[in-house]
Amino acid sequence: MEQQYREMFDEVRSSSRLQEEVRKMSEMERKPAGRRFPRKILMAAAVLAVLAGTAVAAVGAPGTLRGWFAQEWEETTGSTMDEEQLALIDRLTQPVGVNDTQNGVTVTVDSATIGNSTVWLLVKVSGEYAEDSSLRYHFDSIDMTLDPDPDEVGTPGGYGFEFPYAGVSQDGTLTMLVQYTIDLAGQSSLMDEPRQVTLLLDDLVCNDMTASGDEDVVLAEGHWTLTFSLEPGEAGTMLTMEELQAPAMDLSTQDIRTVTLWDVEISATDITYVQLAEDQEWSPLKCALVLEDGSQVNWSSGSSRFRDEASTQWSSVYYWQVPVDLSKVTALRFGEVEIPLN
C-alpha cells in the first residue's frame, strides 16, 4: 500500500514540501500542517485520500449516518453501539435533504453530523450513470465554504476532505460518507453557532484499484452546488486538562521522548492540545480513548498550526474515528501510557 500510495501521489500537482509532508502522513497518520493550502492542492489531496484510503464500494451499505457510525463502532471496538452512543449520534445529526441535478444525475446531501471541528456528510447519488458496485466511487474535486467563517486564528491553517466509505445501499442508491475537517487551533468550534454551507462537487468518478496508477473513469460530468444550513447539536461536556506528559516521536529520527502538552481539550469528536514551538517535530504517539469495557476508539487524521502570531504555541487537533460518549470513557492513551479520566 505504501508504494501504491507514493505512486498515486506522483499524479498530484503540489510543492515538494507538501509531498514530503504527505509521505510523513502515510507513516504517522498525520495530515499536512501549519498553513492553509491553496484550493487546488486541497482538491488534489482529497482525491489522494480517497485513492489511498479504505473507501471500498459494497452492496448493502448503510443508508443512514446512524448506520455508518454503528458499523464503524462495531469494526473498531468489536461490540455493538449501545443506546447512549446512538443517542449521541442522534443529537449531533440533522436532516438536510438538499439536492442538485446536473446532466441527469442528482446529488443529494441527505444528512450531516456536526462535531467540534469536523462534519460528516451523507451524500447520495442517483440518475443516469454507469454503476458497478465493485468499483471505488468519489468526486473528482470537492470544496466547501462556511459562513460565518469559523477560523478566527491569524496564522496559516488548513482544511480537507476524506471519503471514509462509498457503497451501494440496500435500496440501490450510491451512498458516500464525506468527512470535512478543519484545524481551528482550539480557538473556536463548529458547534458555536449556525452556519451556512456551500458544498461544491465536480464530476462523479470511479477507480477499480486493480493496479497502482490506474486512472479515474468519469461516470458523470457535472458541477453540483448544494447550499444548506448547519445547526449545531448537543455534544455534551468537554473534558479538559491544563497539562499532561505524553510519549512522542521525532518525525525525522524516530527517537522517542516525553513531551509536555497543555490546554488539552477532549470533545466527542476530537482532541486538541498545544506544544512548545521547539517541540513541533515531536508527534505524540497514537492516541485513543479507552472505554469502560476496555475497548478503545483511536484517533484518525489530524493537523497542526501555530495558534499565536509569535509562533510560540504549536497547536494540534486529531479526530476520533467515530463520535464518542465521553461519559463512557475511562482513560486517554498515548501509545502504551494511560492517563485516567472521569
Side-chain angles (χ1 to χ4, degrees):
M1 172 59 75
E2 179 181 359
Q3 182 61 33
Q4 182 183 64
Y5 189 101
R6 294 188 178 187
E7 290 175 359
M8 288 187 292
F9 182 78
D10 290 339
E11 300 303 315
V12 179
R13 301 294 184 263
S14 58
S15 68
S16 59
R17 170 70 183 277
L18 179 59
Q19 291 187 27
E20 179 60 26
E21 288 177 336
V22 174
R23 288 191 180 101
K24 287 180 179 178
M25 179 184 71
S26 68
E27 300 170 358
M28 302 298 299
E29 299 185 68
R30 191 177 184 88
K31 282 186 178 178
R35 61 187 182 278
R36 183 176 294 283
F37 303 118
R39 181 176 299 177
K40 289 183 179 179
I41 292 178
L42 284 168
M43 290 180 175
V47 174
L48 177 63
V50 175
L51 297 179
T54 58
V56 178
V59 176
T64 65
L65 281 168
R66 207 177 199 253
W68 284 113
F69 288 127
Q71 176 177 286
E72 176 71 2
W73 184 271
E74 186 167 352
E75 292 177 357
T76 299
T77 67
S79 62
T80 302
M81 183 176 279
D82 63 25
E83 290 302 318
E84 288 83 357
Q85 292 288 346
L86 289 170
L88 171 66
I89 300 299
D90 291 342
R91 292 196 302 272
L92 297 177
T93 302
Q94 67 174 67
V96 177
V98 171
N99 63 71
D100 184 21
T101 301
Q102 301 290 326
N103 300 323
V105 175
T106 298
V107 176
T108 302
V109 178
D110 175 85
S111 48
T113 299
I114 310 165
N116 192 48
S117 56
T118 185
V119 178
W120 289 271
L121 300 173
L122 191 65
V123 176
K124 299 191 174 185
V125 182
S126 60
E128 301 173 1
Y129 66 93
E131 182 179 289
D132 185 336
S133 62
S134 67
L135 302 180
R136 187 181 305 248
Y137 297 88
H138 59 100
F139 290 95
D140 188 51
S141 67
I142 180 171
D143 198 14
M144 193 170 91
T145 61
L146 297 171
D147 185 22
D149 188 345
D151 192 354
E152 300 175 354
V153 182
T155 61
Y159 63 94
F161 301 87
E162 294 179 11
F163 290 73
Y165 298 97
V168 179
S169 62
Q170 295 176 351
D171 65 1
T173 303
L174 174 59
T175 304
M176 303 182 194
L177 184 61
V178 180
Q179 185 178 10
Y180 166 84
T181 58
I182 183 168
D183 186 352
L184 300 173
Q187 301 301 290
S188 61
S189 170
L190 298 179
M191 307 288 285
D192 289 344
E193 60 181 313
R195 301 180 194 277
Q196 192 77 357
V197 178
T198 300
L199 179 66
L200 304 172
L201 302 169
D202 288 341
D203 293 350
L204 177 66
V205 300
C206 69
N207 190 298
D208 62 13
M209 296 297 290
T210 55
S212 62
D214 280 355
E215 295 184 358
D216 289 331
V217 175
V218 177
L219 300 178
E221 294 184 347
H223 307 284
W224 294 270
T225 301
L226 302 116
T227 301
F228 53 95
S229 297
L230 284 183
E231 300 287 340
E234 176 54 53
T237 303
M238 184 176 293
L239 303 179
T240 62
M241 287 174 281
E242 291 185 3
E243 185 177 294
L244 61 83
Q245 305 295 309
M249 178 182 291
D250 185 294
L251 298 181
S252 57
T253 67
Q254 309 299 300
D255 292 335
I256 295 178
R257 71 173 177 86
T258 299
V259 298
T260 299
L261 311 180
W262 76 89
D263 287 356
V264 180
E265 295 185 344
I266 304 169
S267 76
T269 56
D270 60 43
I271 179 173
T272 60
Y273 56 84
V274 179
Q275 297 169 254
L276 292 174
E278 52 264 36
D279 286 344
Q280 64 180 277
E281 291 300 321
W282 292 89
S283 176
L285 300 185
K286 190 172 183 67
C287 182
L289 293 176
V290 182
L291 307 178
E292 291 173 332
D293 62 1
S295 63
Q296 65 182 43
V297 176
N298 295 326
W299 65 12
S300 54
S301 58
S303 58
S304 301
R305 68 190 293 186
F306 287 109
R307 73 171 183 179
D308 63 323
E309 294 186 7
S311 300
T312 63
Q313 300 176 22
W314 186 244
S315 173
S316 297
V317 57
Y318 279 89
Y319 311 97
W320 307 124
Q321 293 170 303
V322 62
V324 180
D325 178 1
L326 296 183
S327 69
K328 299 299 185 75
V329 174
T330 61
L332 177 67
R333 175 180 291 161
F334 289 96
E336 299 301 318
V337 176
E338 282 195 11
I339 302 166
L341 300 173
N342 292 335

